Amino acid sequence: MSTILLSSAYLPPVSYFTLLYRSEKCTIERYCHYTKQTYRNRCHISGANGILPLSIPIVKPDTPKCHTCDIRISDHGEWRHLHWNAIVSAYGSSPFFEYYADELHPFYEKKYEFLFDYNCELTQWLCRSFGFEPEIGYTDEYRMQPDEDETDFREEIHPKKIFAERHPEIALPEYYQVFTQRHGFVRDLSAIDLLFNMGPESLFVLRG
């Protein structure tokens, strides 16, 4: 793949970074209408009791439709504290948690106004932690159709869609997970699952 088109996502799943790693360039959509129940404000991690969804509360816009880049983060419910505690509980015993935790923790202390900005900075941090720096750009207006040289994955990475079934040509190898013996391998969790369990070897998984 030369160029891909993706949506913004909070701590995106492994498939998201697999695409980033295997493409020459990525464009992230800023101006799509925000919709609920997507990875834009949620992610899935795996803990002792199974899959745990984490969701960022947002400020509901005054208008029926709002661009994703204009969505603000709410401080309701001390979500930063809850998310961080959930991450520590899920991955505190993973092989590489202590190596990366001090860099991730500030994202749960600093207050960001816009969800899009928060997602972008987390995605960039994850790329650096994995050891690659993709060429990422952002749309200036909504793309009804991808450019001629782009592959559109904006709606392909979705909590209600199984990426591996829709795109079997894009291999997502299994890797070590702390709770595999209890739950079996859980595919396409948030990429922090891969990072905390595999560390520098994560690139071998993203490479396929």
Side-chain angles (χ1 to χ4, degrees), residues 84-165:
W84 180 249
N85 282 352
I87 290 170
V88 172
S89 176
Y91 298 110
S93 62
S94 62
F96 295 95
F97 178 77
E98 292 186 359
Y99 185 81
Y100 298 105
D102 287 346
E103 293 183 14
L104 180 60
H105 191 205
F107 287 99
Y108 294 91
E109 296 179 311
K110 177 181 176 181
K111 291 186 177 182
Y112 288 77
E113 181 177 4
F114 292 100
L115 177 66
F116 187 87
D117 297 337
Y118 184 57
N119 287 349
C120 286
E121 290 199 21
L122 275 170
T123 295
Q124 291 167 359
W125 175 78
L126 276 163
C127 287
R128 292 194 301 271
S129 299
F130 284 133
F132 73 103
E133 295 187 24
E135 183 180 348
I136 297 178
Y138 306 94
T139 58
D140 295 322
E141 59 184 3
Y142 178 65
R143 299 268 188 89
M144 292 293 294
Q145 297 291 335
D147 288 345
E148 188 173 320
D149 63 341
E150 286 181 326
T151 304
D152 191 353
F153 287 99
R154 286 175 295 182
E155 300 302 324
E156 293 300 293
I157 300 177
H158 191 284
K160 295 184 178 180
K161 298 176 181 179
I162 300 175
F163 185 84
E165 292 182 357

Side-chain angles (χ1 to χ4, degrees), residues 22 62 171 202:
R22 299 183 195 180
D62 296 330
S202 297

Side-chain angles (χ1 to χ4, degrees), residues 20-36:
L20 279 175
Y21 183 71
R22 299 183 195 180
S23 64
E24 295 178 6
K25 183 180 179 181
C26 170
T27 303
I28 296 179
E29 178 64 69
R30 298 178 62 197
Y31 290 98
C32 56
H33 288 141
Y34 182 84
T35 55
K36 297 179 180 179

